Amino acid sequence: MIIGIDLGTTNSLVACYTEEGPVIIPNRLGKRLTPSVVSMDENHQMYVGESARERKILYPETTADVFKRSMGSQQKFSLGDESFTAEELSSFVLRSLKEDAQAYLGEPVTEAVISVPAYFNDVKRKATKRAGELAGLKVERIISEPTAAAIAYGLYQKNKNTKFLVFDLGGGTFDVSILELYENILEVRAVAGDNFLGGEDFTHVLAQMFMRDNDIKEESLTPKERAGLYAQAEACKLGFGKSRVSHMSCKISGETVEYKVTLEDYEKACQFLLERIRKPIKRSLSDANIRLADIDEIVLVGGATKLSIVRKFVGKLFGRMPNSSVNPDEAVALGAAIQAAMKERRDEVKEVILTDVCPFTLGTEVVVEKDNSQMETGHFCPIIERNTVIPASRTQRLYTAHDGQTRLRVNVLQGESRFAKNNLSLGEIFMDVPAGPAGQEAVDVTYTYDINSILEVEVTSVSTGKKEKLLIKNQETTMTDEEIQARMETLSYLKIIPREQEANKMLLMRGEQLYEESVGELRQKIEWCLRKFERVLDTQDPARIQAAREEFSDELEILEKELGDEE
């Protein structure tokens, strides 16, 4: 079976298609969301998900999160004495989801459809694919998150010639996609977004408000204090779902600092983030040449769209209530599962042709003539414009710029700046041409870009017919099959914590955290409960451990309530 995976910045999900339709597969703890957090202990045991998130509060130096934003880069994340790239950390999350799926389905899982933000460039998409391969998954299809969400909403089953806007605000990225349905084709008309805007930024605002109003410098905080602060800020953010006043309680330099914030003050502090949401919406409508009034349906996707200030802003911006009938946290994973079922050609799924667009402009570097007849280098010449429906092929004829020039360089660029240096270089081709006066010799440069983000560049000399081809692979980040296999073997000794142990260790970390927050008699009670549970764990008797785990969990709930009453 092919599974669908939503690899998110804050949380990840895995889903499959059953006779009842697409379903979210629960993880080893019975939860539907798996936090995209990875932690490692002193024995090189890897923790993924909720247990890793709990460890972050106690061991922030050996825990990593929000690494999706660095996908495709060479940034390293330190987990103690080991360091990993974002795609390697993502592979641990994907491997954990794969194991959960295998346990749920009772069969091996070897292939997956993985979603990515629509605004991810080629490097980030290929890094996501490699993360899947490092996790032991065959990833033949990468699907854009808004397209997956559109499938989950069944938008492809609506009336013909219907236009949709998918508003996707997740934990770390923001996408706007405009899609149009005609016949059995769901076509993406335009995408725009911000790879550094999401729910995490709304959490960051609360943390900054806390530090500002309490005259605390972030650099003065220990890693553990900083982790605790951001955990409290996240809880405070979610608290606005129940009340117009939310609070934080943080331990700084041994003192407990209480802080209350109103929804009105929080909304004012978030105005700059809300303004950043406007720009991609305007850009996508402009690129698609569609007015907002022409949109038939607006769909909300991503956990951050559940925030009251975001919903209020979106309602005012669009002048109507968007559709949020599918759980915003789950829509992308469910859509990826339906796409997986389509790939398997399941009879119960209506086949639909999905088209996508090129999210960034592809072009090359050229020399231009200024008003004073001087030649200026470093300008960008677009060849395939952003939001061109793919697959697409475009040709541009370029000429020699200097007398006696015998070589032309085609620098393959991706981006929107008119200056080459500000865009991303994907590779280059050199073509030899006969010497002659400037402008006499020419080459035809053809870019062909397909649905799998593969770019082929062909350069043909007009006078000689000689051709040069290049299949674009970013030299810094692309790994060969042999390199992937070698890295898989290197990472294989880092075993993800066994399923039956994770629930136990998570409870222990929850108890340890509670112990650190308590004093006096309550702290002694917690220690006694911890020791009692540890003694049962030492017996390695599964039946006794399960019973003790349930008892310990109940005790922790009572003790947490006692701590709350004391405060």
Side-chain angles (χ1 to χ4, degrees), residues 456-495:
E456 182 186 79
V457 178
E458 182 178 89
V459 181
T460 304
S461 171
V462 174
S463 62
T464 67
K466 182 181 177 184
K467 295 180 185 289
E468 294 286 350
K469 276 189 180 182
L470 177 65
L471 197 63
I472 291 300
K473 292 184 178 181
N474 186 281
Q475 298 302 313
E476 287 187 280
T477 57
T478 297
M479 298 168 68
T480 65
D481 292 342
E482 291 77 14
E483 288 170 334
I484 289 172
Q485 185 61 39
R487 189 56 179 158
M488 285 174 69
E489 292 175 3
T490 302
L491 298 178
S492 64
Y493 79 96
L494 297 170
K495 301 299 182 184

Side-chain angles (χ1 to χ4, degrees), residues 58-59 506-517 526 530 534 552 556:
L58 296 172
Y59 309 104
M506 196 182 79
L507 278 178
L508 286 172
M509 284 184 285
R510 185 175 155 197
E512 293 286 358
Q513 184 184 342
L514 195 60
Y515 178 85
E516 291 191 7
E517 294 173 357
I526 297 167
L530 279 165
E534 286 170 336
F552 186 38
L556 285 177

